[in-house]
Amino acid sequence: MVLKTINSIFILIAVFMGFKQGVAMLSGKPEMIEMFSKWNFSKTALMINGAVTIFATVLILFTKTFVYGNFLMAAGILLIICLHLLDKDLKGVSIELPFLLLNLIIIYLQHPLKN
Protein backbone atom coordinates (compact mmCIF):
# COMPACT_ATOMS: atom_id res chain seq x y z
CA MET A 1 0.00 0.00 0.00
CA VAL A 2 2.83 2.38 0.87
CA LEU A 3 4.60 1.66 -2.45
CA LYS A 4 1.40 2.34 -4.37
CA THR A 5 1.01 5.68 -2.60
CA ILE A 6 4.63 6.63 -3.26
CA ASN A 7 4.31 5.58 -6.90
CA SER A 8 1.09 7.59 -7.23
CA ILE A 9 2.97 10.66 -6.01
CA PHE A 10 5.81 9.94 -8.46
CA ILE A 11 3.28 9.61 -11.29
CA LEU A 12 1.63 12.92 -10.39
CA ILE A 13 5.03 14.64 -10.31
CA ALA A 14 6.04 13.14 -13.68
CA VAL A 15 2.70 14.05 -15.27
CA PHE A 16 2.81 17.60 -13.89
CA MET A 17 6.40 18.19 -15.01
CA GLY A 18 5.84 16.55 -18.40
CA PHE A 19 2.68 18.54 -19.05
CA LYS A 20 4.37 21.77 -17.95
CA GLN A 21 7.36 21.18 -20.26
CA GLY A 22 5.10 20.03 -23.10
CA VAL A 23 3.01 23.19 -22.90
CA ALA A 24 6.19 25.29 -22.77
CA MET A 25 7.44 23.60 -25.95
CA LEU A 26 4.07 23.69 -27.69
CA SER A 27 3.55 27.39 -26.96
CA GLY A 28 7.13 28.26 -27.93
CA LYS A 29 8.39 29.73 -24.67
CA PRO A 30 11.59 31.71 -25.30
CA GLU A 31 13.75 29.53 -23.02
CA MET A 32 12.60 26.39 -24.88
CA ILE A 33 13.23 27.98 -28.26
CA GLU A 34 16.69 29.04 -27.09
CA MET A 35 17.59 25.57 -25.79
CA PHE A 36 16.31 23.62 -28.78
CA SER A 37 17.50 26.09 -31.43
CA LYS A 38 21.12 25.32 -30.55
CA TRP A 39 20.33 21.77 -31.74
CA ASN A 40 18.73 23.11 -34.95
CA PHE A 41 15.14 22.34 -33.94
CA SER A 42 12.70 24.50 -35.87
CA LYS A 43 9.72 26.03 -34.11
CA THR A 44 7.53 23.38 -35.76
CA ALA A 45 9.77 20.55 -34.51
CA LEU A 46 9.65 22.06 -31.03
CA MET A 47 5.84 22.21 -31.17
CA ILE A 48 5.68 18.57 -32.31
CA ASN A 49 8.00 17.56 -29.48
CA GLY A 50 5.75 19.43 -27.04
CA ALA A 51 2.61 17.76 -28.40
CA VAL A 52 4.24 14.32 -28.09
CA THR A 53 5.27 15.12 -24.51
CA ILE A 54 1.72 16.16 -23.59
CA PHE A 55 0.37 13.03 -25.30
CA ALA A 56 2.81 10.88 -23.27
CA THR A 57 1.61 12.45 -20.01
CA VAL A 58 -1.99 11.60 -20.88
CA LEU A 59 -1.01 8.01 -21.71
CA ILE A 60 0.68 7.63 -18.31
CA LEU A 61 -2.60 8.26 -16.51
CA PHE A 62 -4.37 5.20 -17.94
CA THR A 63 -3.54 1.66 -16.88
CA LYS A 64 -3.58 0.16 -20.39
CA THR A 65 -1.29 2.82 -21.90
CA PHE A 66 0.82 3.47 -18.80
CA VAL A 67 3.99 1.75 -20.03
CA TYR A 68 3.73 3.31 -23.51
CA GLY A 69 3.43 6.79 -22.04
CA ASN A 70 6.38 6.28 -19.74
CA PHE A 71 8.55 4.88 -22.53
CA LEU A 72 7.59 7.77 -24.79
CA MET A 73 8.39 10.32 -22.10
CA ALA A 74 11.65 8.54 -21.22
CA ALA A 75 12.62 8.52 -24.92
CA GLY A 76 12.06 12.27 -25.12
CA ILE A 77 14.17 12.85 -22.02
CA LEU A 78 16.87 10.53 -23.37
CA LEU A 79 16.90 12.52 -26.62
CA ILE A 80 17.53 15.72 -24.67
CA ILE A 81 20.25 14.01 -22.60
CA CYS A 82 21.98 12.82 -25.79
CA LEU A 83 21.81 16.31 -27.28
CA HIS A 84 23.35 17.74 -24.10
CA LEU A 85 26.09 15.12 -24.29
CA LEU A 86 26.85 16.12 -27.89
CA ASP A 87 27.45 19.64 -26.57
CA LYS A 88 29.49 18.21 -23.64
CA ASP A 89 27.00 19.95 -21.33
CA LEU A 90 27.14 17.80 -18.20
CA LYS A 91 25.09 20.33 -16.23
CA GLY A 92 22.22 19.87 -18.69
CA VAL A 93 22.57 16.09 -18.43
CA SER A 94 22.53 16.24 -14.63
CA ILE A 95 19.30 18.26 -14.75
CA GLU A 96 17.55 15.77 -17.06
CA LEU A 97 18.84 12.54 -15.48
CA PRO A 98 16.53 12.56 -12.41
CA PHE A 99 13.48 12.85 -14.70
CA LEU A 100 14.64 9.86 -16.75
CA LEU A 101 15.19 7.86 -13.57
CA LEU A 102 11.77 8.91 -12.29
CA ASN A 103 10.11 7.45 -15.39
CA LEU A 104 12.10 4.23 -15.07
CA ILE A 105 11.18 3.89 -11.38
CA ILE A 106 7.51 4.50 -12.22
CA ILE A 107 7.64 1.76 -14.88
CA TYR A 108 9.28 -0.62 -12.40
CA LEU A 109 6.67 0.05 -9.69
CA GLN A 110 3.83 -0.26 -12.25
CA HIS A 111 0.51 1.56 -12.32
CA PRO A 112 -1.03 1.79 -8.81
CA LEU A 113 -4.49 0.78 -10.07
CA LYS A 114 -3.23 -2.32 -11.89
CA ASN A 115 -4.72 -5.54 -10.49
Side-chain angles (χ1 to χ4, degrees), residues 43-99:
K43 189 168 181 174
T44 304
L46 182 61
M47 290 175 69
I48 291 169
N49 196 20
V52 169
T53 303
I54 292 170
F55 180 65
T57 61
V58 172
L59 290 178
I60 289 173
L61 296 174
F62 300 101
T63 314
K64 292 186 182 209
T65 58
F66 174 76
V67 174
Y68 301 122
N70 272 296
F71 275 128
L72 193 56
M73 181 141 356
I77 295 168
L78 190 57
L79 170 72
I80 294 170
I81 287 173
C82 290
L83 292 169
H84 279 300
L85 286 173
L86 284 173
D87 291 341
K88 296 179 175 46
D89 179 13
L90 294 180
K91 182 182 177 193
V93 171
S94 65
I95 290 170
E96 296 294 331
L97 203 55
F99 298 108

Side-chain angles (χ1 to χ4, degrees), residues 11-30:
I11 290 170
L12 290 175
I13 291 169
V15 166
F16 173 76
M17 294 302 292
F19 189 79
K20 181 180 162 197
Q21 295 295 56
V23 168
M25 286 186 262
L26 191 62
S27 64
K29 294 263 178 160

